[in-house]
Amino acid sequence: MKLLSTGLACLAAAASFVATTITPVAAEEAWPSGPVSVIMHTKPGGTSDIFIRTLAKSLEPEIGQDVIVINAPGGGGANQMSRIITAKPDGLTLGVNTLTHFTGMQTNLKGTFAPENFSWIASVQEDPILFFVREDSPYQSFADVVAAAKADPESINIGGFGPVGSMQHIGMSMLENATDTKFNWIGYPSTPDIIAALLGGHVDIGVSNLGPTAEYFESGRIRGLGVLGSERLAGKPDLPTFIEQGVDVSSSWIQVRGVFGPADMPMELQQKVADAFHEAMRAESYQDYARSTGVTDSWMGPKEYTDFVANITDVAVKQLTAAGVLQ
């Protein structure tokens, strides 16, 4: 866990530095001509999809042209990355990445994609994951889940985004290791699919970020079991962290979202893209969304984010090995 702590410490330091040095995209620094396509690795309605569609409202006037969101789910990010890796490095084809991209490049996508195949342009969000159940679930707390899993190992199905080795699967594995339990992982291509599976009784527990689940909490259809993070979420202050519940688990394995593009994008262009995204994030409409969903803004530019990617890739290998995914 030393590398993980170091990686997140570097992230925090870089975020603090960049936040104080970002300047708006100057009028004379023209964005490349043409609509900007942002390729997503999820179906519509997922946390990352909601993020980019919300940010597009303030990003479009910032860059003076349309932002087109294209959903290309499948393969744990493979479909998305296939489109980005073959695009021209002109800033007109971008993608939003999560930690699952880095775990995937060490597991099911190893040998197909590697970090050096892309330009890592900017970080934009940190977002802890949470675990939840249906309102009528017999599990009133995570302690109930642990007791049931110990009494009948592998009897509890947990649904989250991506295959074995994804960011959310690693979060589940960390809870398994901390409680000496074993769950069944069921991977889905989007958060709406996870929620549908939970409400339909196909899985016992769901994993997601707060954004796309907030309405289900508000309507009383789901209940939270815990947050895998160091603090309670501003948008869900009644939901305790797992650490508060006595689970000895690292609080540092949080979702990180960023913007990336094809390899060989000129550094000056990458900086323009990063500055535009970060400036758009300052808009009141975006900030209202971000605070209500409990995400934290992240401000790394190309150099800092590229360094972070190298570090978090090392961390991912350690977590995957601890989870038994890598030997």
Side-chain angles (χ1 to χ4, degrees), residues 226-245:
V227 177
L228 191 60
S230 59
E231 298 179 354
R232 296 191 181 195
L233 300 175
K236 187 70 177 160
D238 59 325
L239 181 60
T241 67
F242 286 110
I243 292 176
E244 287 181 90
Q245 299 177 63

Side-chain angles (χ1 to χ4, degrees), residues 8 70 117 121 136 166 177 196 234 289:
L8 269 296
I70 301 172
N117 297 145
I121 300 169
D136 60 355
S166 68
N177 293 335
Y289 142 78

Side-chain angles (χ1 to χ4, degrees), residues 77-155:
N79 289 347
Q80 175 212 41
M81 287 190 279
S82 293
R83 297 183 65 162
I84 292 174
I85 200 172
T86 57
K88 293 181 180 179
D90 56 6
L92 297 181
T93 302
L94 304 170
V96 172
N97 73 271
T98 64
L99 281 192
T100 293
H101 286 69
F102 308 126
T103 58
M105 283 187 278
Q106 301 303 316
T107 53
N108 61 304
L109 301 181
K110 188 175 180 65
T112 303
F113 302 106
E116 56 267 26
N117 297 145
F118 304 98
S119 297
W120 303 100
I121 300 169
S123 66
V124 289
Q125 285 185 344
E126 298 173 31
D127 194 3
I129 57 175
L130 52 87
F131 290 68
F132 52 94
V133 294
R134 283 193 337 188
E135 185 279 331
D136 60 355
S137 169
Y139 307 124
Q140 297 299 311
S141 68
F142 187 63
D144 291 342
V145 175
V146 172
K150 287 182 178 293
D152 189 2
E154 300 188 58
S155 62

Side-chain angles (χ1 to χ4, degrees), residues 15-315:
S16 175
F17 172 77
V18 179
T20 62
T21 58
I22 290 172
T23 57
V25 178
E28 64 271 16
E29 294 180 339
W31 190 277
S33 178
V36 177
S37 296
V38 181
I39 314 297
M40 301 303 299
H41 61 293
T42 65
K43 292 181 179 180
T47 309
S48 296
D49 184 75
I50 293 172
F51 150 71
I52 190 58
R53 292 181 187 277
T54 303
L55 186 63
K57 297 175 183 177
S58 54
L59 180 59
E60 288 182 330
E62 179 68 25
I63 65 177
Q65 49 198 335
D66 293 338
V67 175
I68 302 172
V69 179
I70 301 172
N71 296 94
N79 289 347
Q80 175 212 41
M81 287 190 279
S82 293
R83 297 183 65 162
I84 292 174
I85 200 172
T86 57
K88 293 181 180 179
D90 56 6
L92 297 181
T93 302
L94 304 170
V96 172
N97 73 271
T98 64
L99 281 192
T100 293
H101 286 69
F102 308 126
T103 58
M105 283 187 278
Q106 301 303 316
T107 53
N108 61 304
L109 301 181
K110 188 175 180 65
T112 303
F113 302 106
E116 56 267 26
N117 297 145
F118 304 98
S119 297
W120 303 100
I121 300 169
S123 66
V124 289
Q125 285 185 344
E126 298 173 31
D127 194 3
I129 57 175
L130 52 87
F131 290 68
F132 52 94
V133 294
R134 283 193 337 188
E135 185 279 331
D136 60 355
S137 169
Y139 307 124
Q140 297 299 311
S141 68
F142 187 63
D144 291 342
V145 175
V146 172
K150 287 182 178 293
D152 189 2
E154 300 188 58
S155 62
I156 297 175
N157 295 320
I158 297 184
F161 177 79
V164 168
S166 68
M167 185 273 175
Q168 293 182 6
H169 170 259
I170 292 298
M172 183 196 77
S173 296
M174 293 169 68
L175 292 177
E176 288 178 323
N177 293 335
T179 57
D180 192 26
T181 53
K182 188 66 178 175
F183 305 116
N184 290 321
W185 176 255
I186 311 294
Y188 292 95
S190 72
T191 304
D193 291 325
I194 298 165
I195 295 173
L198 179 77
L199 296 179
H202 304 295
V203 296
D204 304 293
I205 299 172
V207 188
S208 178
N209 306 98
L210 179 59
T213 61
E215 64 179 288
Y216 297 92
F217 279 111
E218 293 171 2
S219 64
R221 300 181 71 185
I222 62 175
R223 288 185 288 105
L225 291 174
V227 177
L228 191 60
S230 59
E231 298 179 354
R232 296 191 181 195
L233 300 175
K236 187 70 177 160
D238 59 325
L239 181 60
T241 67
F242 286 110
I243 292 176
E244 287 181 90
Q245 299 177 63
V247 181
D248 185 16
V249 64
S250 170
S251 62
S252 298
W253 189 246
I254 60 174
Q255 185 64 277
V256 176
R257 297 188 184 89
V259 180
F260 72 113
D264 300 323
M265 285 180 61
M267 184 55 66
E268 181 181 1
L269 175 57
Q270 290 189 50
Q271 190 63 57
K272 289 179 183 179
V273 174
D275 289 349
F277 270 80
H278 288 155
E279 191 61 28
M281 287 164 56
R282 300 181 188 277
E284 182 177 358
S285 59
Y286 176 83
Q287 286 297 314
D288 287 345
Y289 142 78
R291 301 296 78 81
S292 67
T293 56
V295 301
T296 300
D297 299 331
S298 186
W299 305 95
M300 287 184 282
K303 184 181 184 305
E304 295 84 3
Y305 194 44
T306 299
D307 290 344
F308 171 82
V309 168
N311 185 74
I312 203 65
T313 297
D314 291 338
V315 173

